[in-house]
């Protein structure tokens, strides 16, 4: 597979988003709780990453970790849905299939509030670790079906934990997906020349509340608010110079849904709402379609500068 280290090469398309702004902003909320690996759910191991690293021995049920995740769906989601409604911010909910199957009412509530349902894998796991194409295809279809059954909305977009497999993008096309977000390499969507018809809507791990769970990341809620403000300032300045941009901001129910971190969510929503028409707040499927309508595949395909097997 070719690595493209050039991308747009400093020559971006003359793109304005549907409201006339040059900067689009995507707020993504991850719904993973109940789909993380837990021995108590029959998985071979339990997820180790939570408020602290798990100290429960491998192969033993970790009820504390289960409860840390359950906070997101029992309490965090309602706090976050209320804030999204209050500030009139549309979001994309990245939904794991097993989480939706276990709590379909939560997925329905998000979609009923006007948010997009996108696929986040059957389990909260990297798709790069699938041993076969057939196994990945089955889980991808299983995830999409669970979301469709719960919400009435078939997901058009996909993002998994970690990285895709060599098969993922081909499977996405086969199963009718429009875009993938497993990309951290640009400030603008792009076409995947190896998979015509599939758009890449990049995601970001820096403007993401997962950094509260990582060393040298965010500690106080205001740190994330300030970080996003800095990102907005840089991208707005570039947008004013005619350069189209996309900012991705990611959240998790069990992380930013906690009272001590909730201002990291609400404070950013306040900033976004205050910017008005200077930005285009949109769901990821809308961003994909707006980009596709404005930038034909042949216009900017990128040039692979370095390859690896």
């Amino acid at each position: 597979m070719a690595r493209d280290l050039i991308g747009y090469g400093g020559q971006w398309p003359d793109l304005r988003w549907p409201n006339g702004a040059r900067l689009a902003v995507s707020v993504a909320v991850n719904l993973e709780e109940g789909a993380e690996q837990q021995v108590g759910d029959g998985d071979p191991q339990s997820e180790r990453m939570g408020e602290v690293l798990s100290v429960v021995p491998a192969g033993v049920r970790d009820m504390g970790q289960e409860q840390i995740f359950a906070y997101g769906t029992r309490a965090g989601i309602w706090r976050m849905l209320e804030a999204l409604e209050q500030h009139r911010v549309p979001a994309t909910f990245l939904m794991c299939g097993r989480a939706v199957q276990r709590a379909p009412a939560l997925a329905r509530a998000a979609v009923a509030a006007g948010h997009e349902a996108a696929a986040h894998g059957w389990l909260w796991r990297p798709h790069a670790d699938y041993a076969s194409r057939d196994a990945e295809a089955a889980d991808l279809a299983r995830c999409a079906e669970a979301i469709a059954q719960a919400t009435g909305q078939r997901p058009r977009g996909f993002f998994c934990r970690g990285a895709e497999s060599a098969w993922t993008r081909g499977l996405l096309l086969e199963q009718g997906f429009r875009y993938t977000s497993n990309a951290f390499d640009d400030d603008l969507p792009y076409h995947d020349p190896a998979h015509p018809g599939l758009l890449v809507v990049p995601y970001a791990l820096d403007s993401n509340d997962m950094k509260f769970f990582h060393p040298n990341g965010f500690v106080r809620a205001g740190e994330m608010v300030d970080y996003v403000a800095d990102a907005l300032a840089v991208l707005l300045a570039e947008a004013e110079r005619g350069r189209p941009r996309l900012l991705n901001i990611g959240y998790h129910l069990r992380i930013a849904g906690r009272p001590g971190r909730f201002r990291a969510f609400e404070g950013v929503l306040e900033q976004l709402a205050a910017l008005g028409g200077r930005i285009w707040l949109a769901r990821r499927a809308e961003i994909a379609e707006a980009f596709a309508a404005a930038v034909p595949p042949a216009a900017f395909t990128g040039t692979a500068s370095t390859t690896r097997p």
Side-chain angles (χ1 to χ4, degrees):
M1 178 180 176
R3 288 185 65 192
D4 181 357
L5 301 180
I6 302 298
Y8 288 104
Q11 301 295 320
W12 297 280
D14 183 16
L15 166 65
R16 287 188 181 273
W17 299 106
N19 71 339
R22 296 277 193 187
L23 174 59
V25 178
S26 165
V27 174
V29 179
N30 292 265
L31 199 170
E32 302 160 345
E33 293 78 1
E36 81 283 2
Q37 294 195 64
Q38 296 289 359
V39 169
D41 290 334
D43 299 316
Q45 59 189 2
S46 289
E47 174 60 45
R48 293 186 57 77
M49 185 186 298
E51 293 289 337
V52 296
L53 288 178
S54 174
V55 295
V56 174
V60 176
R61 183 178 182 185
D62 189 342
M63 287 184 280
Q65 192 73 291
E66 291 175 15
Q67 293 155 2
I68 286 169
F69 273 79
Y71 182 91
T73 46
R74 292 168 62 103
I77 189 171
W78 305 114
R79 187 171 285 131
M80 295 171 79
L81 281 174
E82 183 177 33
L84 288 167
E85 180 179 13
Q86 178 184 351
H87 296 289
R88 298 182 179 179
V89 173
T92 294
F93 275 68
L94 303 171
M95 301 181 178
C96 288
R98 188 170 77 178
V100 171
Q101 186 183 71
R102 299 173 80 164
L106 302 185
R108 278 196 295 273
V111 170
H115 306 300
E116 175 193 0
H120 197 32
W122 175 249
L123 296 180
W124 188 49
R125 63 177 281 192
H127 272 228
D129 69 6
Y130 275 97
S132 76
R133 192 180 195 277
D134 288 347
E136 183 180 2
D139 274 359
L140 184 60
R142 195 179 179 193
C143 174
E145 183 59 25
I147 292 170
Q149 286 287 333
T151 69
Q153 182 181 114
R154 191 159 192 87
R156 305 193 67 206
F158 170 83
F159 174 72
C160 71
R161 182 183 187 180
E164 299 167 329
S165 76
W167 309 299
T168 303
R169 293 192 179 183
L171 292 172
L172 292 174
L173 280 173
E174 289 174 15
Q175 296 192 20
F177 284 83
R178 182 64 165 129
Y179 73 87
T180 180
S181 287
N182 276 94
F184 310 101
D185 53 1
D186 217 305
D187 294 317
L188 201 62
Y190 55 90
H191 297 274
D192 180 352
H195 299 89
L198 188 69
L199 287 161
V200 180
V201 181
Y203 193 55
L205 299 179
D206 64 319
S207 47
N208 192 302
D209 70 350
M210 184 60 77
K211 289 178 70 70
F212 284 109
F213 278 7
H214 289 282
N216 302 315
F218 305 131
V219 178
R220 300 288 301 275
E223 293 172 357
M224 183 172 183
V225 176
D226 290 345
Y227 188 94
V228 171
D230 288 343
L232 284 166
V234 169
L235 295 179
L236 279 168
E238 293 178 354
E240 288 170 0
R241 298 199 296 273
R243 301 172 182 178
R245 294 291 187 259
L246 166 65
L247 176 63
N248 299 281
I249 311 170
Y251 292 100
H252 298 74
L253 303 177
R254 65 190 178 279
I255 302 179
R258 286 275 181 180
R261 291 186 291 255
F262 182 60
R263 282 296 299 165
F265 186 67
E266 190 174 43
V268 167
L269 298 188
E270 290 169 356
Q271 288 185 57
L272 298 177
L275 287 171
R278 295 183 68 196
I279 63 175
W280 184 47
L281 277 169
R283 304 161 192 85
R284 298 182 77 76
E286 294 168 328
I287 291 168
E289 292 306 333
F291 179 83
V295 183
F300 292 87
T301 58
T303 302
S305 63
T306 304
T307 60
R308 67 177 179 186

